């Protein structure tokens, strides 16, 4: 078996992160990369997939990498315990 954990983010926050990344990379060509409507649809599709596959989901909008890692480890530990 394989454990998959879905990570999701607030579309507005993700748009801001992507816009900042584009500026840093001097990327003026990719017009849809930071587009809020496109990102909102990406997040919706991801959530649908996570639900369909019954994968656990973590919203990383306000979490540090360390908090996210700790949450994934906890999910993994619980998953392993449930399997034994």
């Amino acid at each position: 078996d394989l454990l998959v954990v879905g990570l999701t983010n607030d579309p507005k926050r993700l748009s801001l992160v992507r816009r900042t990344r584009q500026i840093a990379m001097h990327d003026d060509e990719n017009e849809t990369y930071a587009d809020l409507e496109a990102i909102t649809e990406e997040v919706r599709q991801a959530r649908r997939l996570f639900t369909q596959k019954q994968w656990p989901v973590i919203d990383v909008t306000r979490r540090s990498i360390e908090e996210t890692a700790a949450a994934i480890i906890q999910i993994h530990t619980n998953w392993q315990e449930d399997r034994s």
Side-chain angles (χ1 to χ4, degrees), residues 68-82:
T68 302
I72 292 169
I73 290 168
Q74 185 62 52
I75 289 170
H76 183 262
T77 300
N78 294 343
W79 178 74
Q80 281 187 316
E81 288 173 359
D82 290 346

Side-chain angles (χ1 to χ4, degrees), residues 18-69:
R18 288 183 178 187
R19 239 183 278 127
T20 302
R21 186 177 296 144
Q22 277 188 294
I23 291 167
M25 296 178 69
H26 305 288
D27 178 6
D28 301 328
E29 295 180 22
N30 192 345
E31 296 176 10
T32 61
Y33 181 66
D35 179 68
L36 183 57
E37 287 182 32
I39 292 171
T40 299
E41 185 55 31
E42 286 177 32
V43 171
R44 272 195 206 111
Q45 288 178 5
R47 287 178 191 245
R48 272 187 236 130
L49 177 65
F50 302 157
T51 299
Q52 176 188 5
K53 300 289 187 176
Q54 298 181 323
W55 293 334
V57 178
I58 299 172
D59 185 336
V60 300
T61 302
R62 303 211 182 280
R63 287 185 189 246
S64 67
I65 291 172
E66 295 82 2
E67 290 170 322
T68 302

